[in-house]
Amino acid sequence: MSQLLSTSIEYLKGVGSKRAEILASELGIRSYLGLLHHFPFRYEDRTKFYKISEVNGDLPYVQLVGEIIHVEEIGLKFKKRLVAKLKDETGTIELVWFKGVAYFAKNLKVGEKYVVFAKPNVFNSKINLVHPELETLIEFKNSVQSKLQAVYASTEKLAKFTLGSKNISRLLKTLLPQLKYKLEENIPSDIVADNNLLDRESAMFNIHFPTSVELLKRSIVRIKFEELFMIQLELLKLKLVNLEKSKGFVFGTIGEKFNSFYSNNLPFELTGAQKRVLKEIRIDLKRGKQMNRLLQGDVGSGKTIVALMSILMGLDNGFQAALMAPTEILATQHYEGLKELLQGMDIEVQLLTGSVKVKKRREIHAKLEDGTLDILIGTHALIEDKVKFKNLGIAVIDEQHRFGVAQRSKLYKKNTIPPHVLIMTATPIPRTLAMTLYGDLDVSVIDELPPGRKEIQTLHWFENRRLRLFGFMEAEIAKGRQIYIVYPLIEESEKLDYATLEEGYQHIFRRFPAPKYKVSIVHGKMKAAVKQFEMDRFVNGETNIMVSTTVIEVGVNVPNASIMVIESAERFGLSQLHQLRGRVGRGGEQSYCVLMTGNKLSSDGRLRMKTMTGTNDGFQIAEVDLKLRGPGDLRGTQQSGTPINLKLANLATDGELIERARKAAIGILKVDSNLALLKNRGLLAYLNDRNRGKTNWSSIS
Ligand code: ADP
Ligand code: MG
């Protein structure tokens, strides 16, 4: 960074030490650059004028032009105020001051034309303008100042120290002229040209003081691009650096276990996508670097078998493996599923969860340490410090969105060299977002469902179809099928949540009475053992209906289930609805998802139902979801190693820009990974300054 930009904000004229402190604590502004990058959150359009007759209390702001025809001081002492009358060809309006009465009384000129800007205020059912901004029409016409006025976010504390929006704008007005000709371009010139970007200086000047709407728009695009481009460069560089330094176990051979499983145990032909992903993983595992791969695949796309076959590659090379799932139910299902798949093979598999008894737990620990245990499946219990492996070579994390970066790194420490890590998720993330959130991971996608699946039919019904729903359920049960009914979780009130579920259960129980019908119930407040018992009954086909909260959301596999009823579906987010729907359609039968909602739906709610009935494609659903919710919610799922600090760019809506920025970043790193070329010099200087000590651009070649 140039000396100038790193200057402490304290030294800018009009700041000083006290306000510098406030700027730092409230807005994180410490340097000239910090202030320069403090962007407006909206603009007031000072190009538009209202007529006085058009002013009403609902307008956020109005700008008027008219003549002052009368000025008068009213009231005494503390109640004193100044009232002026402004007139145009449509009427008159009062301007009122409670402060600065003497000043305005002296300076306002009756008979002069003024431009007035203020928020309309309703007082005694009359509209007036309190403390308007004003200047004479002549001043207004002569002012070079932009007619699009930047508005900056403010807080009470800022305002108290005269650092409100207006004051910030004034500080920028002091700063910007000093930066003229000194804002070195930080995006290489070929990229600026290819993407038709505004130059850095113009963008920075126009974002704060737009000279036209057109230039403002181009400034915003330029700055967004810059933010995204810098992040992509850093993420991609991080990936390169990690690759260089992270040693990994070499799984050199495909051995007896993999081959024997492939020829004797694999119950179906792998899909093309599964084969492709296995090849990608195979390449990772033998190159001597640690694998960090994210495997995305819609619900039911068959990720488990890919995980298992990757694990077998580890076992064949003398390593142990771990498979971690977010819930006990899921871990248990994996355990049982894998045991069945591995039948007749000499492979020891164990399950470790919170409810495993001490004696068994000791046995597992011992076997892990002496190496007789090959595959350990479990919940978080598996990453506890006391769990020690003899030689962990590969770890699979299922449904990653419930695990954070911290947990991932705990896994890395389970061996002297970090084990390979495969993270599986059924939460589809739009490509552009994955590029940023998982920029430092490799991503594989299973984009093909196993053959023979019938597309799930999704219906959106209102309460008036409940009888029809029950009839439909009855008919499916008569065919031997099973049914899920899911109630929403109400976060604020577990009690209420339970009551809704309980009520629903009673209702179902009366409509589908024993002994003809059997109904299971599962909810979060049950003991693990009871939950498991109820779950097992449904999995084994002993019950017809499973009434539950969203505990069954993740991963549960009951191929005979053909209807998923989601109650109060409007209360669920799109990705959750999609996850729930994925519980059916896992066998060969036609399956259905029925979304039950109240009659009153918000426009978001309606869009969610429409999206669900319109498509089964998880990626399409994720796109809509992202647009509805915005990327804020995704912070918790962030897996990348670089903090993502975007001021203007929006991960939800700027997909196209993300693609372009990433492409540009890849283009540069391909030819010049250390940014040594002359044309990349401005960029190098910028990045090195921005990240003192973080990514070192010249340390590797
Ligand atoms: P998910 O990706 O949601 O974890 P699973 O791995 O649980 O999906 O697979 C869903 C179902 O599809 C399982 O019953 C599994 O046995 C089956 N399956 C997986 N791959 C294939 C395939 N290539 N052909 C047929 N069935 C498959
Ligand atoms: Mg799964």
Side-chain angles (χ1 to χ4, degrees), residues 69-83:
I69 52 166
H70 182 79
V71 178
E72 185 182 3
E73 280 181 57
I74 297 177
L76 288 167
K77 286 203 175 153
F78 300 115
K79 295 222 165 142
K80 193 146 95 180
R81 61 187 193 275
L82 184 76
V83 177

Side-chain angles (χ1 to χ4, degrees), residues 48-74:
K48 181 171 170 52
F49 284 93
Y50 282 87
K51 295 286 172 221
I52 289 176
S53 63
E54 293 170 335
V55 178
N56 64 62
D58 296 331
L59 292 169
Y61 287 94
V62 293
Q63 180 165 255
L64 308 170
V65 59
E67 184 188 332
I68 299 264
I69 52 166
H70 182 79
V71 178
E72 185 182 3
E73 280 181 57
I74 297 177

Side-chain angles (χ1 to χ4, degrees), residues 228 232 235-236 239 276 294 296 427-445 447 617-624 626-627 634 651-652 654-664 666:
L228 295 165
Q232 288 302 333
L235 287 170
L236 289 163
K239 201 155 134 181
R276 189 191 66 235
L294 179 75
Q296 281 196 52
T427 310
I429 295 159
R431 236 176 72 76
T432 52
L433 188 64
M435 280 177 198
T436 311
L437 291 183
Y438 305 107
D440 63 333
L441 298 180
D442 293 299
V443 180
S444 289
V445 181
D447 50 8
D617 179 345
F619 284 90
Q620 260 188 47
I621 289 171
E623 296 272 358
V624 179
L626 186 63
K627 293 211 166 108
L634 289 156
L651 293 179
D654 291 327
E656 192 254 343
L657 268 184
I658 297 176
E659 297 247 18
R660 269 163 58 193
R662 183 165 175 100
K663 224 171 102 196
I666 290 172

Side-chain angles (χ1 to χ4, degrees), residues 248-466:
F249 297 118
V250 179
F251 294 179
T253 46
I254 290 282
E256 185 263 327
K257 291 195 169 81
F258 186 96
N259 287 330
S260 137
F261 177 83
Y262 194 84
S263 20
N264 306 325
N265 290 47
L266 189 61
F268 36 67
E269 172 88 9
L270 293 176
T271 62
Q274 284 170 325
K275 284 184 191 156
R276 189 191 66 235
V277 169
L278 269 169
K279 266 188 205 141
E280 288 166 357
I281 293 172
R282 168 92 183 103
I283 291 169
D284 285 359
L285 295 181
K286 64 179 180 189
R287 71 184 164 169
K289 309 284 181 203
Q290 187 210 13
M291 171 174 78
N292 267 295
R293 187 168 282 279
L294 179 75
L295 173 54
Q296 281 196 52
D298 215 338
V299 276
S301 61
K303 295 183 291 294
T304 317
I305 204 81
V306 171
L308 176 58
M309 292 174 79
S310 309
I311 284 174
L312 292 177
M313 293 181 204
L315 302 195
D316 272 337
N317 287 276
F319 292 93
Q320 292 168 302
L323 170 56
M324 187 156 79
T327 64
E328 235 178 290
I329 291 181
L330 237 197
T332 309
Q333 251 198 7
H334 272 317
Y335 172 69
E336 277 158 9
L338 256 53
K339 269 194 28 185
E340 202 178 309
L341 281 166
L342 293 172
Q343 239 170 35
M345 294 183 68
D346 181 23
I347 293 174
E348 166 114 22
V349 189
Q350 290 290 348
L351 175 69
L352 182 66
T353 65
S355 46
V356 169
K357 296 267 156 36
V358 177
K359 192 165 157 241
K360 180 75 186 175
R361 192 178 288 257
R362 284 209 190 104
E363 182 198 320
I364 290 176
H365 285 178
K367 281 181 163 179
L368 264 186
E369 286 180 49
D370 71 18
T372 45
L373 179 49
D374 298 303
I375 305 175
L376 181 63
I377 297 173
T379 52
H380 295 77
L382 193 147
I383 48 169
E384 281 170 14
D385 292 335
K386 6 182 229 284
V387 181
K388 295 195 180 70
F389 292 79
K390 180 165 185 233
N391 197 12
L392 180 65
I394 178 166
V396 178
I397 305 176
D398 197 8
E399 308 297 350
Q400 76 35 252
H401 56 289
R402 308 223 178 157
F403 288 106
V405 182
Q407 282 147 325
R408 222 205 303 166
S409 72
K410 255 186 141 173
L411 261 178
Y412 292 174
K413 299 202 182 90
K414 291 283 178 200
N415 207 340
T416 44
I417 290 178
H420 297 295
V421 175
L422 181 67
I423 301 166
M424 304 197 291
T425 176
T427 310
I429 295 159
R431 236 176 72 76
T432 52
L433 188 64
M435 280 177 198
T436 311
L437 291 183
Y438 305 107
D440 63 333
L441 298 180
D442 293 299
V443 180
S444 289
V445 181
I446 302 186
D447 50 8
E448 179 187 353
L449 290 182
R453 297 271 170 84
K454 294 211 174 72
E455 182 128 306
I456 301 166
Q457 277 189 35
T458 304
L459 308 156
H460 170 209
W461 283 355
F462 295 104
E463 201 51 40
N464 60 6
R465 298 235 176 146
R466 183 152 304 270

